[in-house]
Structures are given as structure tokens and as C-alpha cells.
Amino acid sequence: GAGVSQSPSNKVTEKGKDVELRCDPISGHTALYWYRQSLGQGLEFLIYFQGNSAPDKSGLPSDRFSAERTGGSVSTLTIQRTQQEDSAVYLCASSFLSGSYEQYFGPGTRLTVT
Amino acid sequence: QQQVKQSPQSLIVQKGGISIINCAYENTAFDYFPWYQQFPGKGPALLIAIRPDVSEKKEGRFTISFNKSAKQFSLHIMDSQPGDSATYFCAAGWDQGGKLIFGQGTELSVKP
């Protein structure tokens, strides 16, 4: 079946512009996660949507970052007034909320802020 | 403290050798420890995971060893192959789901 998909695969933007990154989780997965991977670094947790419960936003680095999940499916990560330090690969993952918690990752969106 | 420390940063192993990657954690509330494999340009993929009620888990050539008292766990890749060349991440989390805390990654290169 289809895995987690993310779009765009690459995004180049100018400093100060806003960007939106999209994630389509695996059908039936009610948990959705965003992580950030900077060059040569591990994955840094950003936000976690858990079904109908309030999201865990504890990893968002600043108020320039926000995320939505519409209809319990597609999610959009928005970065306002982008800075050069926002350049990274943004990874989305999804999982079931009960039973197996294995997180399945998408291929990521590579964001470059010039 | 929710850090997970991973070593080494990079590892070169000859084909057929054993690759060993180590991780250490601080938070004793963690009860789920997965290892992910990532190829360039791809997202990480779950390789193997362990829960603290066992000290070892083996799947094919991949084994996790877990030492609860030392708060350490390691990945052993037996009979390493060039196709195993990738970046490996350990992580820690909770058995009920939720965010994972990742180590910094180990770039493994298996030489033919």
C-alpha cells in the first residue's frame, strides 16, 4: 500500500518568506508526527497529533512554527518568516494509536532558506 | 533529561565483520527503544525495536542488546554487507506511543 507522502520534495525560499510543507499519512493511521533533521544531525521532534486529542507541540522551536491536521488526515507544517537556521529536512511520520506504535516515515522535504 | 547519546559517529567495517553501535539514555521512564536505518535521500525505516522486559532481541543479522541497569542499548549487525551501508539511528520513547527521542546517528560504511 501507499506509504507516507510529503510535498514538495525540495523547497528553496528566501529569508523572511513563509513556507508550507504537506504530509499525507498512511491511510488509517491516527497519529502523525513532524521531525526536523539538520545536516549530519539526528531527528528533532517538532509536533505530534494524536487522534482527536490536543497535539503535543512541545518540540516547536519558536512561534514561527505551526502545524495543522485537517480531518484527521493530511497535515501542514507552516514556517513563518523563515530564517537560514530553518534549513533542514522536515520529516513526517505516522502510526496507529493503539497496538503497534511503529512510526513510518515519509521521504522528507528538504528546505533551503537563502 | 531526555537526551539519547549515540556512538560512534561513523564506522567502517569490512564485509563479513560485526558492526556495533551504542546508545545511552538518562530517562528511566523510556520503555521503547527502536533502531532506524536511513539511506541517502530516504526517510528512516524501522529496523528492530526492543522493550526493557528483555535483554536481547534478534531479527536475522540484527541484534539489540539492552542493559537496563546501565541505561544502555546497542545494535549489532552480524556478517555486515555493503548493502548495510547507511546511517543508523537509535531512539527512545514510550510504549504507549508518542514522540521519539533520537540519537545523533552513526554513518556505517561496509567495505567489500
Side-chain angles (χ1 to χ4, degrees):
Chain A
V4 177
S5 60
Q6 293 186 245
S7 61
S9 55
N10 280 283
K11 176 73 176 179
V12 180
T13 190
E14 291 180 353
K15 177 181 171 182
K17 294 284 179 68
D18 297 352
V19 295
E20 287 189 349
L21 312 180
R22 177 187 167 107
C23 172
D24 282 89
I26 292 173
S27 178
H29 279 186
T30 47
L32 186 147
Y33 313 77
W34 285 97
Y35 294 87
R36 177 168 70 174
Q37 184 174 25
S38 302
L39 187 63
Q41 300 294 309
L43 282 72
E44 174 191 8
F45 166 76
L46 297 177
I47 187 169
Y48 161 46
F49 293 93
Q50 38 186 339
N52 295 323
S53 302
D56 176 358
K57 302 181 181 180
S58 61
L60 294 178
S62 77
D63 58 9
R64 296 186 296 105
F65 288 73
S66 62
E68 286 186 335
R69 189 174 186 193
T70 52
S73 182
V74 172
S75 177
T76 302
L77 177 69
T78 301
I79 309 173
Q80 295 179 310
R81 305 180 303 280
T82 52
Q83 304 294 312
Q84 287 188 327
E85 61 263 28
D86 299 334
S87 295
V89 175
Y90 288 82
L91 291 159
C92 174
S94 69
S95 74
F96 290 109
L97 261 183
S98 60
S100 167
Y101 299 102
E102 176 180 347
Q103 294 185 23
Y104 292 82
F105 282 82
T109 293
R110 180 174 297 279
L111 175 66
T112 303
V113 182
T114 61
Chain B
Q1 182 60 275
Q2 295 201 346
Q3 271 189 327
V4 176
K5 295 182 180 178
Q6 183 173 346
S7 62
Q9 264 190 311
S10 62
L11 182 61
I12 298 174
V13 173
Q14 290 297 122
K15 178 182 174 182
I18 302 174
S19 304
I20 302 174
I21 304 171
N22 301 298
C23 284
Y25 63 98
E26 292 292 326
N27 188 345
T28 55
F30 290 139
D31 57 6
Y32 174 62
F33 302 90
W35 284 89
Y36 280 81
Q37 179 189 57
Q38 185 178 32
F39 293 104
K42 306 289 186 183
L46 180 67
L47 197 58
I48 186 172
I50 197 168
R51 289 169 173 80
D53 52 343
V54 297
S55 60
E56 186 175 282
K57 183 174 182 180
K58 183 176 181 179
E59 289 185 1
R61 296 185 294 110
F62 301 91
T63 299
I64 299 179
S65 297
F66 185 81
N67 185 330
K68 189 173 181 178
S69 61
K71 292 186 285 186
Q72 295 176 347
F73 58 111
S74 60
L75 176 69
H76 295 232
I77 306 174
M78 312 300 287
D79 187 26
S80 299
Q81 300 296 312
D84 297 331
S85 297
T87 300
Y88 292 81
F89 293 95
C90 63
W94 293 268
D95 198 34
Q96 296 305 306
K99 65 186 179 186
L100 292 174
I101 309 300
F102 283 84
Q104 295 299 92
T106 296
E107 189 172 351
L108 172 66
S109 178
V110 181
K111 298 299 185 185

